[in-house]
Structure formats: C-alpha cells, structure tokens
Amino acid sequence: DTAVSQTPKYLVTQMGNDKSIKCEQNLGHDTMYWYKQDSKKFLKIMFSYNNKELIINETVPNRFSPKSPDKAHLNLHINSLELGDSAVYFCASSQRTDQETQYFGPGTRLLVL
Amino acid sequence: SQKIEQNSEALNIQEGKTATLTCNYTNYSPAYLQWYRQDPGRGPVFLLLIRENEKEKRKERLKVTFDTTLKQSLFHITASQPADSATYLCALRPYGNNRLAFGKGNQVVVIP
C-alpha cells in the first residue's frame, strides 16, 4: 500500500564506493523527483523526470546519475562517494509536472565514512 | 539572493493553545505556497496550499494566510495536540519555474 517507496532505508559505505538508491511509486504519477536533505535540514531538489524524461537537473556533481526505466521508477546512482554526500535522500512524485502536491518517500539515510 | 526563512528555534506550546509559524521569503514571486509536515525519520507530508491571489485557507484545525505585500505566510494550528508535534516546512513555487523551493522547517513541540 506504500505510495512512494525507497530502498534501502539506511546506507553506510566507504568513501570512493559506488551505490544506488531505488524509488518506486504506485500512484500512477507521471513526474518523479530526487531531493537531498542535508544536516542543516534544507530540502533541495536534485532531479526531476516526467514520463522517463529528465526535466530538472540542478547543479549536482555528475557523480550523481538518475535513471528512470519507466514512469513508476526513478533510481539514483552515485559514483565515487564523498563525505559530503552524507545526507537523507528523498524521492517524491506528483501527478504531473505542474501538479502542486508532491508525495514523498520515507527517505534513504546515506552515511559516507 | 533568494531566501525562504523559518524560525530555527523550536516552538514549545501548551496543549489546547494555537501554534503560529512564520514563513518569510525574499526575491521570489510565488505562484503558490505550501506547508508540509515532517516527522522524525519520515518524508514530508503535504498539508495545505495557498495561491498568490488567496488570503486564507483552512483545513480542519489548520489555517494558512498569505500576504504577498509582506512576503509572508503564517501557519496556525488551533487547539494544538501532542500529536501535532513535528517539523513544519514551508515551500513555494515561483512563477515560470517548476521547482519547489523549501524552507528549513520549524519544529513544534506540544506539551501535554
């Protein structure tokens, strides 16, 4: 019944490793997002996809690469992890790009050691 | 520079009172403004949306006002309950921009 789900919930890894976070929504929405919430609690958009097409690509290091195999899934792959990547990553979805309400997943807590 | 400011200090309030939170913004022209609730270890949950041409919106015990002259939104929780304890995030969408910009959030603690 979970509307927006993410895996894993926790991710602890060493600097330099490559990791992926997966997101799935069962709401039938067209648009999906990745947000980063840092230690200061600011929630900042990273990427957005609409119907598998990238529509928002904020100033994010190119070590971060989103992939949308279909409109219900948006994954985030991070190469060469750095200490500063430690944060909570939230996936969200909305019915359309211009749809106001966003539905957030539970978050993935990434700790880079 | 563009800013969305919410009080960084937690609001401690006695059960049954009205909690009022403030969201101030600078250098934005919002098409609308939203309020979300975030509990520890969870993602934000949408509560209310108010458009640029609306002054006030209500939903059950929640009320939001929007003053584009003051560049401010107020969020009220009336008859507050311990279950209302959470962090409340303000977010706005500027005209001509499909990105939601979030404030840092303001924690509310309702004391029984």
Side-chain angles (χ1 to χ4, degrees), chain B residues 78-94:
Chain B
T78 57
S80 58
Q81 302 167 0
D84 295 327
S85 298
T87 295
Y88 293 87
L89 305 171
C90 163
L92 59 84
R93 173 161 287 178

Side-chain angles (χ1 to χ4, degrees), chain A residues 30-112:
Chain A
D30 287 344
T31 308
M32 295 183 73
Y33 312 80
W34 277 112
Y35 286 87
K36 178 180 180 181
Q37 189 171 44
D38 60 24
S39 57
K40 293 181 182 174
K41 302 299 182 186
F42 273 112
L43 195 59
K44 288 186 183 173
I45 187 147
M46 301 172 70
F47 302 103
S48 176
Y49 271 72
N50 186 59
N51 260 323
K52 303 193 296 175
E53 286 195 29
L54 182 66
I55 55 169
I56 295 175
N57 186 353
E58 288 294 279
T59 309
V60 173
N62 57 15
R63 297 182 294 104
F64 289 79
S65 52
K67 282 195 173 44
S68 182
D70 55 62
K71 74 174 194 177
H73 295 84
L74 180 61
N75 304 323
L76 183 64
H77 188 74
I78 316 170
N79 288 326
S80 304
L81 277 155
E82 298 178 358
L83 295 176
D85 298 332
S86 297
V88 184
Y89 292 84
F90 287 101
C91 177
S93 72
S94 63
Q95 195 160 5
R96 297 183 306 273
T97 306
D98 61 351
Q99 181 67 20
E100 297 105 354
T101 305
Q102 293 191 12
Y103 296 81
F104 285 80
T108 295
R109 282 135 196 89
L110 171 65
L111 178 60
V112 182

Side-chain angles (χ1 to χ4, degrees), chain B residues 54-112:
Chain B
E54 296 174 320
K55 296 289 184 193
E56 183 179 297
K57 266 281 183 68
R58 289 175 187 260
K59 178 183 172 184
E60 297 169 356
R61 293 183 296 109
L62 307 179
K63 183 177 92 170
V64 170
T65 63
F66 194 8
D67 188 327
T68 54
T69 303
L70 290 178
K71 299 188 186 303
Q72 181 181 83
S73 174
L74 298 179
F75 176 81
H76 306 271
I77 309 171
T78 57
S80 58
Q81 302 167 0
D84 295 327
S85 298
T87 295
Y88 293 87
L89 305 171
C90 163
L92 59 84
R93 173 161 287 178
Y95 275 109
N97 190 324
N98 57 2
R99 291 154 177 75
L100 260 188
F102 282 84
K104 204 165 68 168
N106 194 179
Q107 186 184 8
V108 171
V109 178
V110 181
I111 303 159

